[in-house]
């Protein structure tokens, strides 16, 4: 049975469909009505090698916040479902990824315990409007929603950066590479990689 998931979520603020395949090749089909977010999710799929389909619409005429948050919630839920009992996975992954002057570190533990540590963005990053729709503060919100609903421990740290676009993109790419390592199947792992016997 493949490590796949398909989840739909509808509220008065948004409609979101996410399909993922953890054992894919990084194929993506992304449309959230928030162009910069599309760009980030495309990078997430490409560099994690997770096949990712995201179709989302929402009240972006008011603000992108609801659609961005709800998409991250469903993405986290899909990741959790696709992981199943987590038998045979590597569990941990980390990556440090540059994008020109920006440098970001991401560390993932598929622990079943949601937690986020997010540090290092330069002062004022949260106020930048990137691509006309995506506010810099949404980066942390996406990471927080994803970690919570996927049940993963996630540390993301910006080590360097000046350009707001590069700072966000380096974080998404670092997350992608860390996830790629963490969800990978390791033939040497017997059962669930935990001394407790469950994750």
């Amino acid at each position: 049975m493949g490590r796949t998931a398909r989840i739909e979520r509808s509220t008065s603020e948004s409609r979101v469909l996410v399909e993922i395949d953890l054992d894919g090749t990084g194929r993506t089909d992304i449309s959230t009505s928030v162009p910069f977010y599309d760009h980030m999710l495309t990078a997430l799929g490409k560099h994690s090698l997770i096949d990712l389909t995201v179709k989302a619409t929402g009240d972006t005429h008011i603000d992108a916040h609801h659609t961005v948050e709800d998409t991250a919630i469903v993405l986290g839920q899909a990741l959790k479902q696709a992981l199943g009992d987590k038998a045979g996975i590597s569990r941990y992954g980390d990556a440090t990824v540059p994008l020109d002057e920006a440098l970001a570190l991401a560390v993932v533990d598929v622990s079943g315990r949601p937690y986020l540590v997010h540090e290092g963005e330069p002062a004022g990053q949260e106020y930048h409007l990137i691509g006309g729709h995506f506010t810099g503060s949404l980066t942390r919100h996406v990471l927080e929603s994803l970690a919570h609903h996927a049940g993963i421990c996630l540390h993301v740290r910006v080590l360097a950066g000046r350009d707001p676009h590069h700072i966000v993109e380096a974080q998404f790419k670092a997350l992608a590479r860390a996830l790629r390592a963490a969800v990978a199947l390791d033939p040497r792992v017997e059962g669930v990689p935990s001394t407790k016997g469950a994750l």
Side-chain angles (χ1 to χ4, degrees):
M1 185 175 176
R3 298 192 301 160
T4 62
R6 183 182 193 275
I7 295 184
E8 293 185 72
R9 181 178 190 265
S10 295
T11 72
S12 61
E13 297 169 342
S14 70
R15 294 176 58 89
V16 182
L17 164 67
V18 172
E19 297 178 347
I20 67 172
D21 182 349
L22 299 183
D23 301 308
T25 58
R27 290 185 296 106
T28 60
D29 182 10
I30 312 291
S31 177
T32 67
S33 70
V34 182
F36 183 74
Y37 197 31
D38 291 354
H39 180 41
M40 295 302 99
L41 294 178
T42 299
L44 181 65
K46 178 70 173 179
H47 296 288
S48 66
L49 296 182
I50 295 172
D51 289 348
L52 180 60
T53 297
V54 178
K55 301 295 180 185
T57 58
D59 55 1
T60 53
H61 60 288
I62 297 173
D63 191 277
H65 184 104
H66 296 147
T67 302
V68 169
E69 176 186 22
D70 292 351
T71 299
I73 288 170
V74 180
L75 182 56
Q77 292 171 338
L79 181 58
K80 183 175 184 178
Q81 182 176 307
L83 280 163
D85 66 3
K86 307 181 184 78
I89 65 167
S90 295
R91 178 175 169 176
Y92 300 100
D94 65 274
T96 306
V97 173
L99 179 55
D100 295 343
E101 87 298 341
L103 184 67
L105 165 71
V107 184
V108 169
D109 176 10
V110 185
S111 62
R113 299 184 307 276
Y115 204 89
L116 173 69
V117 176
H118 181 242
E119 299 175 330
E121 288 188 338
Q125 171 71 15
E126 67 271 30
Y127 304 119
H128 282 284
L129 189 62
I130 306 167
H133 297 84
F134 190 95
T135 308
S137 62
L138 288 173
T139 306
R140 179 188 173 89
H141 203 39
V142 168
L143 298 174
E144 195 167 46
S145 298
L146 176 65
H148 180 80
H149 290 276
I152 64 175
C153 174
L154 174 60
H155 286 243
V156 177
R157 180 173 295 173
V158 176
L159 303 175
R162 181 186 66 256
D163 181 88
H165 181 140
H166 291 173
I167 289 166
V168 178
E169 188 168 347
Q171 292 178 76
F172 273 85
K173 288 179 173 176
L175 170 61
R177 294 292 298 200
L179 272 177
R180 175 176 168 177
V183 306
L185 294 172
D186 185 334
R188 299 173 298 168
V189 174
E190 296 181 359
V192 175
S194 170
T195 56
K196 294 181 295 187
L199 288 172

